[in-house]
Every structure is written in structure tokens, then in C-alpha cells.
Amino acid sequence: MHENPPARRRGRSRREQRHRRRARRRRITWTATSVVILIGGATCAITGTDSGDSSAPTRAKAPSPPAVSARAKAGDAPADTTEPLPSPTSTQKPFDLEPALAPVTALFGDNRMSVAMLDVESGAMATYGHDAFDTASIVKVDILATLLLQAQDQGRRLTTEERAQSAAMIQKSDNESTSALWTRIGSAPGLDAANERLGLSQTQGGEGTVWGITQTTAEDQIRLLQSVFGDKSPLSEASRAYIQDLMRHVVESQTWGVSAAADSGTTALKNGWLRRTQTKKWDVNSIGRIQRDGRVYLMAVLLNNCSTQEVGISIVEQATRASATAFSRKLREETTT
């Protein structure tokens, strides 16, 4: 027979048992909370439609991924310990695109849309609408910028896995890779912290795991593009070149959107599309860098409440062409006067 422990040891054992029971209750409570977040997020969850494999417009074939440059393959994004710089923004009064877009906006009833354009050389802006929209997959550029900024802070290059996930996320719009990187950067808090340094003041990361309902504005997307394509950026030159290269090599079925206004050169873009689980309506967005009439533009078009993805793409491209035509004409007139 074993001897009974002294009273002091029995008391300590009971206290330890109480601590263990409390710890178990805390773990159970945390797990239940996590389930609630995931279930709540599912009401607006991104379906499998926003992956490069299954959501291409019907007018496009599903090609093999194009070859990328050696820089993108290598993930050449070295650490950069330089002091972060604020993302540049235009201080000029924006050119109003509303008259140019009137024929387009007259077509879509309950839809909402916002457009922003920046002429890189002059810094002139053109805008229509200022509402906030869900990003859908255009947030993937922001996620990659955040990952690279964090890697710079840590004094390291991207890992082989991170490079593979980044390429799939941007070039194919792969959601599984995006979710992995979303967790890697610290989800919304990580994105929001990076955006403060990138100059985005109107963007807020999506709740929990639902990165596609990150809220943003067209003007904030221009600020993000300035950080990717401009010289004055917290991102190192190699980090910027890496993102640019991936955006120039998206799969052919995802080259619609702001590219509709380009007339020369190489377009770099990222599109996003999201079907609402409750309303069955579509959000369709497009951001990128284009060349037109000898000028370089950064452009963002955000649209929601479309009946189908194809209708949304058509409206985005009509808005893109109308905006670029009017803005280019305005800039030419200012140059000749």
C-alpha cells in the first residue's frame, strides 16, 4: 500500500487540479470563438470561383502559365534595412471622370463603381466615386507587398515555399496559396501595419481568414500601385521588381480589366472577382499599370453588385476605356495650351 500524502501536498494537488480545469475551460472557450469567426466569415466567403483555374471568362481559354523572368523565378527580393518612405500621393485637384462615365453608369442600375487614374509623369489624378469596396483578389498585391516588407525588416529573402505561393497567388489568383500567405503575414493586423507604411489610409484588412472582404478605395489602390511601380517606396527596388514581374505574367485568361485601355507596351495587372453567397451578385475589380498615347498610367476600377462575372468584366472594361480616353484628351489639351 502507498502512504497517503501529507495535507499540504493534497492541497497543492487540488489547486493544480483547479488551474488545469480553468486552463481547459479557456482552451474550450477560445476554440468555440474561433469557430464562430469562421462561420460568420463564411456568409461573405470567397468561393472557389476566384482561383485562376476555374473562373476565367467564357471568352477566354485556360492556357498554361506563361514563362516568367529569371528574377521572378528566383524570388529576388533581398532584405532592405533603409528607413521606410511614405507612399507618394498627388496633391493636384483630380480631374472629374463623371461626365465621361455617364454612358457607362447609365447602364448598371444598382451597381456601384469607383475609378481612379494617375498619370505617372505629371502626377495628375482622375477620379470617379470615393466609396469603399471589398477587394476580392486585388488584395493579393497588397498581401505580397506586406510579405516582402516584413522580409525586408527581418533581413531575409523569401523562402522557396513563399516564392511558389506568391507566384501562384498573383499569376493564377490561387486562393489556397493566398490563405497561407495571409496567415504568414499576420492576417489583417499585419496587412494594416504594412499599409500604414505604404501610405494606404482607406484600406482595412478583412476579418479572420476572409482576406477577400478587405475594404479599400480606388484612390488607395493607386497609392499601393505607386509603392509597387514608383521609386519612392518603403519596398526595396528588388521587392518592387519582383511584384511587377509577377503582375506582368498573369495567366492569359486573367488579362482582362484595365488592360482594355492599353494601346502599347506591357500591362501589369491584378484582377479580383467575388460572388456573394447570399445575393449571388458579383464584385469585379481590376488594378494595374498601362501605357496609352505615349503615357504611363496607374489605374484602379472597383465595381460591385453585378448579375454575372461576364457583365462585371464588360462594365469594368467600358469604364476603363472611357476614363482613359477622357483623361488622355484632358492631358493633351493641357500640354498644348
Side-chain angles (χ1 to χ4, degrees):
M1 294 179 64
H2 294 289
E3 185 179 0
N4 289 332
R8 182 181 176 187
R9 291 182 61 188
R10 287 199 301 270
R12 181 180 300 168
S13 177
R14 284 195 293 271
R15 286 197 297 273
E16 291 173 351
Q17 290 173 2
R18 286 197 297 272
H19 288 315
R20 284 197 291 270
R21 285 197 295 271
R22 291 192 188 103
R24 282 198 297 272
R25 284 197 295 271
R26 284 195 295 269
R27 286 196 296 270
I28 292 169
T29 302
W30 183 89
T31 303
T33 303
S34 298
V35 171
V36 170
I37 290 173
L38 291 174
I39 292 174
T43 59
C44 263
I46 294 181
T47 67
T49 56
D50 196 357
S51 64
D53 299 331
S54 61
S55 63
T58 54
R59 61 193 171 99
K61 297 180 181 179
S64 300
V68 299
S69 73
R71 179 186 294 274
K73 287 181 179 178
D76 188 10
D80 187 345
T81 57
T82 58
E83 190 69 21
L85 297 172
S87 178
T89 54
S90 174
T91 57
Q92 303 177 31
K93 182 178 179 180
F95 172 62
D96 185 8
L97 290 171
E98 184 171 2
L101 289 171
V104 181
T105 58
L107 300 175
F108 59 54
D110 294 334
N111 295 108
R112 287 190 309 124
M113 183 174 69
S114 185
V115 179
M117 287 187 71
L118 174 75
D119 174 48
V120 172
E121 182 180 356
S122 67
M125 283 278 292
T127 60
Y128 169 80
H130 303 283
D131 291 341
F133 292 76
D134 288 342
T135 56
S137 279
I138 61 172
V139 74
K140 294 172 181 178
V141 176
D142 202 0
I143 292 172
L144 180 53
T146 299
L147 177 68
L148 289 165
L149 200 55
Q150 291 178 352
Q152 290 176 196
D153 293 343
Q154 295 160 8
R156 67 176 183 87
R157 296 175 183 269
L158 299 189
T159 66
T160 300
E161 181 181 38
E162 288 170 339
R163 292 196 302 269
Q165 290 169 336
S166 297
M169 175 175 69
I170 301 298
Q171 294 179 299
K172 299 180 182 179
S173 205
D174 181 69
N175 290 336
E176 184 176 349
S177 296
T178 306
S179 295
L181 292 177
W182 177 251
T183 301
R184 184 75 55 86
I185 67 170
S187 305
L191 187 83
D192 293 343
N195 281 342
E196 286 187 17
R197 298 168 63 183
L198 295 169
L200 279 66
S201 59
Q202 302 167 335
T203 300
Q204 183 174 3
E207 183 179 357
T209 60
V210 194
W211 40 263
I213 59 171
T214 295
Q215 288 274 292
T216 194
T217 64
E219 291 180 34
D220 242 15
Q221 288 303 297
I222 295 298
R223 296 183 183 102
L224 174 62
L225 292 171
Q226 284 180 287
S227 287
V228 171
F229 292 96
D231 294 331
K232 296 181 179 179
S233 170
L235 292 165
S236 69
E237 181 181 357
S239 293
R240 298 195 305 273
Y242 181 55
I243 304 176
Q244 292 170 23
D245 197 75
L246 292 179
M247 291 178 69
R248 290 188 178 108
H249 292 92
V250 300
V251 294
E252 185 180 345
S253 56
Q254 296 178 25
T255 57
W256 48 267
V258 296
S259 58
D263 60 9
S264 63
T266 301
T267 297
L269 54 72
K270 182 71 193 80
N271 297 322
W273 55 101
L274 164 63
R275 191 186 187 206
R276 296 289 178 175
T277 55
Q278 293 182 340
T279 65
K280 310 303 180 185
K281 299 287 188 177
W282 287 81
D283 296 348
V284 180
N285 306 322
S286 184
I287 63 171
R289 175 189 182 276
I290 66 170
Q291 295 183 45
R292 181 186 178 93
D293 297 334
R295 291 180 177 269
V296 176
Y297 297 103
L298 304 180
M299 190 169 192
V301 182
L302 311 179
L303 176 70
N304 70 8
N305 208 35
C306 302
S307 57
T308 67
Q309 182 188 0
E310 288 72 23
V311 167
I313 291 172
S314 176
I315 293 174
V316 165
E317 292 190 336
Q318 290 180 62
T320 296
R321 286 189 291 266
S323 298
T325 299
F327 193 31
S328 296
R329 183 186 304 118
K330 173 67 173 178
L331 293 172
R332 285 196 304 271
E333 291 173 353
E334 291 180 347
T335 302
T336 57
T337 57

